[in-house]
Amino acid sequence: MENRKPRKEIHRYVSSKTIYATGWSNRPTPNLRMALGSFHEDYTNSVEIVKLDEEKGEFVAACTFNHSYPATKIMWSPDYVGPDLLATTGDYLRIWQVSQDEQSVNNKSILNNKTTDYCAPLTSFDWNETDPSMLGTSSIDTTCTIWNIETGQAKTQLIAHDKEVYDIAFARGKDIFASVGADGSVRMFDLRSLEHSTIIYESPLLTPLLRLAWNKQDPNYLATFLMDSNKVVILDIRVPSLPAAELEKHTADGSVRMFDLRSLEHSTIIYESPLLTPLLRLAWNKQDPNYLATFLMDSNKVVILDIRVPSLPAAELEKHTA
């Protein structure tokens, strides 16, 4: 993919269901590959794996598997050598294994807390890049759980927040992780000393914080954003409580913007959606950082963007229905 040149053709792939989650494959394969999760308000959801067919010049479906409730997040394993795995969260944490020919997917394991009959929905998770056997989940029951997916057992479970936990993210390495939740705080934990946690930031009026992303190049920095807000808060863990920066370029404009922390007074608009439809999520391709993906609210379309060619999608994934 390193030799891939910017191209302006649009590949269409229309899904028969509304898209709710997406995840890029981390495995260094010659073709772009993604998993797309559906959103349907019943027990009939699915996850579809699509990949770019270079000969046809379009994205094609490799396989589809059922997923009961909508997947709140999809991630592929950061392990490039072992089995081809991906994970999803919803009612439980599920680990899936893709066959070598990519024609089928098997449910390798379902991880849940067996000490209670109550199933607390999982809001998000993160896969540790340093130790791919370790994965952390966040839940509406105020807890975070660190799992060993090889044994299928929880390494630890802790009450992380006073209210629902909405996201969890590992820092670089295998010991430090942080979480955000409905109590409006960002909390940092160290697996070597779980008796204590550090509140890095509390939002004004304790507005819920929805998502969290750690800078893997410089683990001193992480980002979060507030519910019903156009503000992205950049935090420096060396200076708790005080934001290092607040990015407020977004309005309700359906845009993807790129920032440089060395020059925050400027931003680059990578893409604006048709009719300025809101964009829900963003995923950067770790194998080729020129590419990122987003999708539109109440849409079956995933937009692939090439930052070298702003404003024009590199591809739009749409699978034709009947």
Side-chain angles (χ1 to χ4, degrees):
M1 291 190 296
E2 293 181 356
N3 297 323
R4 191 190 303 274
K5 296 180 179 179
R7 295 179 297 184
K8 297 185 179 181
E9 67 265 23
I10 296 177
H11 310 291
R12 298 195 177 275
Y13 188 91
V14 180
S15 176
S16 59
K17 297 182 179 181
T18 300
I19 297 167
Y20 185 68
T22 181
W24 286 102
S25 172
N26 295 316
R27 193 158 289 221
T29 59
N31 299 328
L32 297 173
R33 186 175 63 158
M34 301 180 67
L36 310 175
S38 69
F39 179 85
H40 204 274
E41 294 183 4
D42 59 22
Y43 211 65
T44 59
N45 284 273
S46 63
V47 174
E48 193 164 28
I49 296 176
V50 300
K51 61 180 181 179
L52 181 62
D53 188 320
E54 294 284 1
E55 293 183 359
K56 295 181 179 179
E58 62 184 22
F59 279 86
V60 298
C63 62
T64 303
F65 57 94
N66 295 328
H67 194 271
S68 60
Y69 293 108
T72 55
K73 189 172 183 178
I74 301 174
M75 286 187 73
W76 294 77
S77 172
D79 184 3
Y80 305 152
V81 180
D84 196 5
L85 303 178
L86 69 155
T88 60
T89 44
D91 49 351
Y92 300 116
L93 169 64
R94 289 176 166 86
I95 309 298
W96 309 84
Q97 183 167 346
V98 182
S99 62
Q100 289 187 349
D101 60 6
E102 298 183 336
Q103 297 301 305
S104 63
V105 176
N106 296 317
N107 189 190
K108 190 173 185 292
S109 59
I110 299 177
L111 284 68
N112 65 299
N113 187 354
K114 299 181 177 61
T115 61
T116 176
D117 295 331
Y118 173 65
C119 173
L122 302 176
T123 54
S124 187
F125 73 97
D126 194 26
W127 212 319
N128 190 284
E129 296 181 2
T130 303
D131 182 0
S133 70
M134 186 163 60
L135 194 152
T137 58
S138 56
S139 173
I140 66 168
D141 67 359
T142 74
T143 67
C144 288
T145 305
I146 307 300
W147 297 92
N148 184 323
I149 64 171
E150 293 180 350
T151 64
Q153 302 297 316
K155 298 181 66 173
T156 186
Q157 184 178 57
L158 62 146
I159 298 176
H161 289 259
D162 299 327
K163 296 181 180 180
E164 297 94 331
V165 188
Y166 290 145
D167 203 7
I168 181 174
F170 284 103
R172 188 172 61 192
K174 63 180 183 179
D175 298 314
I176 307 296
F177 68 93
S179 60
V180 294
D183 61 3
S185 68
V186 179
R187 305 191 183 209
M188 186 172 66
F189 302 87
D190 189 330
L191 287 172
R192 297 163 297 187
S193 179
L194 289 174
E195 300 83 12
H196 308 286
S197 66
T198 302
I199 297 178
I200 299 175
Y201 172 74
E202 288 185 316
S203 62
L205 304 178
L206 300 181
T207 303
L209 301 172
L210 298 184
R211 288 290 179 262
L212 179 70
W214 215 300
N215 186 330
K216 297 300 177 68
Q217 301 302 315
D218 186 342
N220 290 313
Y221 292 98
L222 48 82
T224 185
F225 62 86
L226 289 69
M227 179 183 289
D228 298 327
S229 171
N230 65 345
K231 180 186 298 183
V232 177
V233 180
I234 308 298
L235 304 172
D236 186 338
I237 64 173
R238 298 167 296 187
V239 187
S241 303
L242 186 66
E246 294 182 340
L247 312 181
E248 298 183 79
K249 296 290 185 180
H250 278 284
T251 60
D253 57 1
S255 68
V256 176
R257 295 174 180 257
M258 186 169 65
F259 298 85
D260 187 332
L261 287 176
R262 297 164 296 187
S263 180
L264 289 174
E265 62 270 14
H266 304 292
S267 66
T268 301
I269 298 179
I270 303 296
Y271 172 72
E272 289 183 314
S273 63
L275 304 178
L276 302 182
T277 303
L279 303 170
L280 297 187
R281 298 195 184 187
L282 188 69
W284 217 299
N285 189 326
K286 294 182 180 180
Q287 291 302 311
D288 188 339
N290 291 310
Y291 291 95
L292 50 87
T294 186
F295 59 89
L296 287 67
M297 178 182 291
D298 298 326
S299 171
N300 59 356
K301 180 186 294 184
V302 175
V303 180
I304 308 298
L305 304 173
D306 186 337
I307 64 174
R308 298 167 296 185
V309 188
S311 302
L312 186 66
E316 294 177 344
L317 310 187
E318 304 177 273
K319 180 182 177 184
H320 291 293
T321 64

